[in-house]
Amino acid sequence: MENKNVIQRAAKHQRNWFGKWHTWAGITAGFVLIIVSLTGSLLVFEQELDVYFYPKLFDFEPTQESAMTFEEALLLVEREMPEISARGVYQQKDRANALMLYSDEEPYPQIIIDPYRREIRGSRVYKNTIMGFIRNFHRTLLIPTAGRYFVGVSSLVCVILMITGLRLWIPKKWKQWKHLKARMSVKWDGSRKRINFDLHNTLGFFFAPFITLIALTGVMITFSTVVIGVLFLLSFEPPKNVAKLLNQQSTYVAGAPSLSIPEVEVIVQDLYPTATITGINIPKDSLGAFSVNMRMESTMRTGDVSFVSIDQYSGEKIFSSNDPLYKMGKAYTNWVTPLHYGTFGGLPTRIIALLASLVNAALFITGFIIWIPRWRKQQKSRAKAVAKAQKLQNT
């Protein structure tokens, strides 16, 4: 009996501490996480919403003619918009198969091309678009430099909230089904206070795994430099291999012409016959290399995202994300972003990610409603204690 009492007192003490961590974590990061959750829910369908908001840029009508090639798109921009220094061109499957060219010079314009009519539809700075603003708000809170770290730390706090929340969710008499069932349902005929409390508990319990996964991957995206460095340490690769990854340059040959884009595409398809080329970055200077993005056959709905660097003179492979030394980094590129936005399993997982983001925001609202009366009660108790102490002091 004495041992049982000790365990009960320890459990109560632990629960009190978890309650304090849960409360202060929510107060500290709640407002930021509401913003990040709501904007994140929109980014789950970022490409589709971009097309919806700007239909004139993406109202393409497929023709019987073959779609425009990457080289044709670059030549078109060079001819009609010579002031733009296009460095890369990508096919945007979720944006009506548009070809989009990017420049690495400020203000980083984005040129949209109809691949069927072979015409430029428009030029824009993505951060000034509706979805570009939402993406920037989601990642940085519109605060230069420090904003992204606020978001990253808040995401880490969100993980703490999920862990402490699940501990607080466990009823005292957890071995009895009726008590567990009560925590997994909402008493709709109860008071507003009870309905709010039940919603907080029920939504938190069912969506905690998904919210935790989204928050953890959000932390990894924010602190990607550190995460990728740790992954390379875990892969036990020698410094020479890491240097090879970071130093992807062509071997300069004086007077030799650079390969054409079709030549590079042929080389890549010979190396990876099952790959689908989704984009190409052209060399910036005489030492630069072609960087080709691909999607390999995969069980993932988003595909196996890969890239390969090609020497612009010899056509030799400099580096590929399919090389063994990149195995840990490949896991990062293939899974972190798809898990964060729920794209890895197609529409069903995207819907789950959308709901989890909205529920996360709802948890902070319902949690705040739970906390306010408790905070007011504490304030009244403190005020009474102070008044009582002053009265005793005056007597």
Side-chain angles (χ1 to χ4, degrees):
M1 181 64 72
E2 186 176 346
N3 290 336
K4 185 177 180 180
N5 290 334
V6 170
I7 295 173
Q8 287 177 341
R9 287 197 298 271
K12 183 178 180 181
H13 179 73
Q14 181 197 62
R15 186 180 180 85
N16 288 338
W17 273 106
F18 271 77
K20 290 178 180 179
W21 293 341
H22 191 75
T23 299
W24 286 108
I27 293 171
T28 303
F31 180 69
V32 172
L33 287 172
I34 288 175
I35 294 173
V36 172
S37 297
L38 293 177
T39 53
S41 67
L42 294 173
L43 291 176
V44 171
F45 292 95
E46 179 180 4
Q47 291 82 9
E48 291 85 351
L49 286 172
D50 188 34
V51 173
Y52 174 79
F53 288 130
Y54 301 96
K56 291 183 179 180
L57 293 176
F58 299 102
D59 60 338
F60 306 152
E61 294 181 6
T63 62
Q64 293 181 349
E65 296 182 14
S66 59
M68 199 175 200
T69 65
F70 292 133
E71 183 179 49
E72 288 174 336
L74 282 166
L75 291 174
L76 176 65
V77 172
E78 286 180 8
R79 183 174 65 251
E80 298 192 10
M81 303 178 71
E83 73 280 5
I84 299 295
S85 176
R87 295 296 181 190
V89 55
Y90 291 82
Q91 183 183 38
Q92 299 287 312
K93 182 179 179 181
D94 293 326
R95 287 188 173 99
N97 281 323
L99 287 176
M100 301 184 81
L101 280 79
Y102 297 85
S103 173
D104 57 4
E105 297 179 356
E106 291 189 4
Y108 310 112
Q110 182 186 76
I111 299 91
I112 302 166
I113 295 178
D114 182 338
Y116 306 107
R117 297 175 184 169
R118 290 170 162 72
E119 62 183 20
I120 296 174
R121 280 302 183 90
S123 175
R124 64 182 185 177
V125 177
Y126 189 64
K127 67 179 182 180
N128 295 334
T129 65
I130 295 173
M131 295 311 298
F133 172 82
I134 291 172
R135 172 176 280 271
N136 192 26
F137 201 10
H138 177 76
R139 289 184 169 182
T140 69
L141 304 176
L142 306 182
I143 303 173
T145 309
R148 64 191 301 266
Y149 298 109
F150 287 145
V151 172
V153 172
S154 296
S155 297
L156 188 58
V157 172
C158 184
V159 176
I160 297 172
L161 278 165
M162 292 301 107
I163 295 171
T164 55
L166 284 173
R167 171 62 186 89
L168 295 172
W169 176 89
I170 300 173
K172 294 178 181 179
K173 299 180 179 180
W174 60 273
K175 291 184 179 181
Q176 297 181 16
W177 168 244
K178 66 177 182 179
H179 294 288
L180 286 173
K181 183 180 178 181
R183 288 298 177 94
M184 291 188 288
S185 58
V186 179
K187 189 177 181 181
W188 295 108
D189 58 349
S191 64
R192 289 183 180 180
K193 183 177 179 181
R194 175 59 188 270
I195 293 173
N196 182 78
F197 183 80
D198 285 350
L199 281 172
H200 188 78
N201 278 335
T202 305
L203 291 174
F205 173 75
F206 285 108
F207 283 90
F210 308 111
I211 295 172
T212 302
L213 188 61
I214 291 172
L216 278 174
T217 50
V219 173
M220 294 177 73
I221 291 171
T222 299
F223 301 102
S224 57
T225 304
V226 176
V227 172
I228 292 174
V230 171
L231 289 176
F232 273 109
L233 289 175
L234 293 175
S235 66
F236 301 105
E237 291 294 337
K240 183 172 68 175
N241 285 346
V242 178
K244 181 181 177 182
L245 170 64
L246 299 175
N247 187 32
Q248 297 175 37
Q249 293 186 336
S250 298
T251 301
Y252 177 67
V253 179
S258 178
L259 295 172
S260 67
I261 290 179
E263 289 173 327
V264 172
E265 289 180 284
V266 170
I267 292 170
V268 172
Q269 292 291 183
D270 286 342
L271 288 171
Y272 306 100
T274 62
T276 299
I277 297 174
T278 58
I280 297 178
N281 287 323
I282 61 177
K284 294 181 180 180
D285 50 39
S286 59
L287 292 178
F290 285 97
S291 179
V292 182
N293 283 40
M294 310 173 289
R295 289 196 184 278
M296 313 293 285
E297 290 184 351
S298 172
T299 56
M300 292 175 60
R301 292 294 180 89
T302 50
D304 181 348
V305 180
S306 304
F307 68 90
V308 59
S309 295
I310 302 294
D311 188 299
Q312 67 169 298
Y313 304 107
S314 67
E316 293 182 359
K317 182 186 74 173
I318 300 172
F319 179 82
S320 171
S321 61
N322 292 307
D323 292 344
L325 72 91
Y326 194 69
K327 55 183 177 291
M328 295 295 286
K330 187 68 175 292
Y332 177 87
T333 55
N334 270 351
W335 284 103
V336 172
T337 300
L339 283 173
H340 189 65
Y341 292 107
T343 57
F344 65 94
L347 184 60
T349 51
R350 293 173 83 182
I351 292 174
I352 292 173
L354 170 65
L355 292 175
S357 298
L358 294 175
V359 166
N360 199 30
L363 287 176
F364 291 107
I365 295 171
T366 54
F368 186 74
I369 294 172
I370 292 170
W371 174 73
I372 281 292
R374 296 177 180 179
W375 177 77
R376 288 175 177 170
K377 186 177 180 180
Q378 289 176 352
Q379 293 298 105
K380 289 180 180 179
S381 298
R382 289 174 183 172
K384 288 181 180 179
V386 170
K388 185 177 180 180
Q390 289 177 346
K391 186 176 180 179
L392 290 173
Q393 188 176 6
N394 293 332
T395 55

